[in-house]
Amino acid sequence: MTRSLILQHRDFSRCDLSALGRLKLPEAVALPDSLRFAVAEDFVLPEDVAAELRRQEIDAAVLPDMAFGELGLIVSDMDSTLITIECVDEIAAGVGLKVQVAEITEQAMRGELDFEQSLRRRVALLAGLDETVLQDVYDRVLQLSPGAELLLAECRKHGVAFMLVSGGFTFFTERLQARLGFEYQHANVLETENGRLTGRLNGRIIDAQAKADLLREYRGRLNLRDGQVLAVGDGANDIPMLEAAGIGVAYRAKPKAQAHADACINFGGLERLRGWFK
């Protein structure tokens, strides 16, 4: 399959693309908010050029030249990817522990802590919290990331299945599935007793390995080739999933995740995931 260098920016008339001059690229194909240049299979964007594009808040990637509808499945993380918040941090605000829990979350996302161990530590701090706090977080705090609804509309339009796999909680993934109409969701189950959180989890833990395993499982179920599966996430626990996908996209991600991705969205919203494709 041929490859393209794709640039995305909200207004290229404000950009200086002279750094591309020495690369001897063919004429660009201009699409709304993107420019596409056909490149050789072994093309690598020089780091100094990439740095200049980043300075101008241009998202750039070298990817297979394919239509969005050629994908069969998008596998997405939830917290800080499909939505703007880390749900466990916002739940912890209900017991005055948001700062403490958020620090553990940040360490886990940077890959400094074992994910399952850090998750159990954070959930234990929530013991005794009234479960109505979960609904309050969903209703009052949770927001979709920019471009999320557009991306899901494009998935429906082109017949691309969407699966949410989260190290967060089914309370949120189930409600997002009902609200947004995507096909599949998997997350961790918070245990409750008498209307309060126990500080424990039930069932299988959705950690980094589980995310990658679920991607492979559904790729097989749907009879897809590797290149038809795209994964998107932001943290270290998404790395195995990004690597297992044919195309891994890091969204507003930690450096470790960016280093393992085929494309990075640092400046736009999730509409740019759609923009990587024709």
Side-chain angles (χ1 to χ4, degrees), residues 198-272:
T198 66
R200 297 187 294 271
L201 296 164
N202 286 331
R204 177 187 186 183
I205 297 298
I206 304 300
D207 59 6
Q209 188 59 52
K211 288 186 175 190
D213 290 345
L214 284 162
L215 181 150
R216 295 186 184 97
E217 176 186 336
Y218 279 80
R219 181 178 63 201
R221 281 194 195 185
L222 299 173
N223 296 313
L224 300 174
R225 302 185 306 277
D226 287 359
Q228 291 181 279
V229 180
L230 180 148
V232 56
D234 72 301
N237 67 316
D238 295 314
I239 290 172
M241 176 178 79
L242 298 179
E243 293 183 328
I247 300 171
V249 178
Y251 177 72
R252 305 290 182 101
K254 305 296 184 291
K256 276 192 176 182
Q258 292 200 35
H260 291 268
D262 299 298
C264 298
I265 299 172
N266 291 319
F267 307 110
L270 288 172
E271 76 284 346
R272 294 205 173 168

Side-chain angles (χ1 to χ4, degrees), residues 20 45 64 85 105-106 118 120 125 167 201 211 215 220 247-248 268:
L20 300 174
L45 187 65
I85 65 170
T105 300
E106 183 69 14
S118 73
R120 291 190 185 278
L125 293 170
L201 296 164
K211 288 186 175 190
L215 181 150
I247 300 171

Side-chain angles (χ1 to χ4, degrees), residues 6 17 35 74 90 96 133 136 159 167 192 203 206 231 234 240:
I6 305 130
L17 301 180
L35 297 174
I74 292 175
E90 301 302 332
V133 171
D136 190 61
T192 62
I206 304 300
D234 72 301

Side-chain angles (χ1 to χ4, degrees), residues 8 13-14 18 23 31 35 53 69 77 85 94 125-126 144 157 165 167 170-171 197 219 253 262 270 273 277:
Q8 296 195 68
S13 68
R14 298 167 51 194
S18 59
L23 303 182
L31 298 171
L35 297 174
L53 296 175
D77 176 45
I85 65 170
L125 293 170
L126 306 178
L144 297 176
K157 177 180 176 181
V165 288
T170 53
F171 183 93
L197 302 184
R219 181 178 63 201
D262 299 298
L270 288 172
L273 194 154
F277 303 94

Side-chain angles (χ1 to χ4, degrees), residues 82 138 162 164 172-185:
L82 187 68
Y138 182 82
F162 189 93
L164 195 60
F172 301 100
T173 59
E174 290 170 353
R175 282 159 177 76
L176 287 168
Q177 183 182 37
R179 170 181 169 185
L180 300 171
F182 52 82
E183 289 82 358
Y184 313 110
Q185 58 83 24

Side-chain angles (χ1 to χ4, degrees), residues 103-217:
E103 176 54 31
I104 300 172
T105 300
E106 183 69 14
Q107 288 178 292
M109 293 303 99
R110 291 195 301 260
E112 297 169 4
L113 294 175
D114 173 78
F115 179 79
E116 180 175 351
Q117 181 185 36
S118 73
L119 178 63
R120 291 190 185 278
R121 280 177 56 193
R122 286 174 285 167
V123 170
L125 293 170
L126 306 178
L129 190 63
D130 193 302
E131 64 181 343
T132 58
V133 171
L134 303 177
Q135 190 66 47
D136 190 61
V137 169
Y138 182 82
D139 291 338
R140 298 176 180 273
V141 185
L142 184 149
Q143 292 185 351
L144 297 176
S145 291
E149 290 180 288
L150 182 148
L151 173 62
L152 286 161
E154 286 292 294
C155 286
R156 290 190 294 274
K157 177 180 176 181
H158 294 277
V160 180
F162 189 93
M163 179 166 68
L164 195 60
V165 288
S166 176
F169 310 117
T170 53
F171 183 93
F172 301 100
T173 59
E174 290 170 353
R175 282 159 177 76
L176 287 168
Q177 183 182 37
R179 170 181 169 185
L180 300 171
F182 52 82
E183 289 82 358
Y184 313 110
Q185 58 83 24
H186 294 272
N188 296 298
V189 181
L190 286 166
E191 183 182 81
T192 62
E193 289 181 1
N194 301 318
R196 295 189 176 275
L197 302 184
T198 66
R200 297 187 294 271
L201 296 164
N202 286 331
R204 177 187 186 183
I205 297 298
I206 304 300
D207 59 6
Q209 188 59 52
K211 288 186 175 190
D213 290 345
L214 284 162
L215 181 150
R216 295 186 184 97
E217 176 186 336

Side-chain angles (χ1 to χ4, degrees), residues 14-123:
R14 298 167 51 194
C15 298
D16 176 6
L17 301 180
S18 59
L20 300 174
R22 65 183 175 85
L23 303 182
K24 299 181 179 179
L25 298 168
E27 185 175 350
V29 175
L31 298 171
D33 301 327
S34 71
L35 297 174
R36 307 179 71 89
F37 302 86
V39 295
E41 185 70 27
D42 60 352
F43 176 84
V44 176
L45 187 65
E47 178 51 37
D48 62 327
V49 177
E52 174 57 22
L53 296 175
R54 289 194 296 270
R55 187 188 68 77
Q56 299 181 67
E57 298 190 351
I58 297 171
D59 286 317
V62 179
L63 292 170
D65 188 39
M66 61 189 289
F68 185 72
E70 293 179 61
L71 294 173
L73 175 67
I74 292 175
V75 183
S76 176
D77 176 45
M78 180 176 67
D79 295 296
S80 298
T81 302
L82 187 68
I83 63 175
T84 61
I85 65 170
E86 293 286 334
C87 289
V88 68
D89 298 355
E90 301 302 332
I91 298 167
V95 286
L97 292 173
K98 181 176 179 177
V99 173
Q100 182 178 343
V101 169
E103 176 54 31
I104 300 172
T105 300
E106 183 69 14
Q107 288 178 292
M109 293 303 99
R110 291 195 301 260
E112 297 169 4
L113 294 175
D114 173 78
F115 179 79
E116 180 175 351
Q117 181 185 36
S118 73
L119 178 63
R120 291 190 185 278
R121 280 177 56 193
R122 286 174 285 167
V123 170

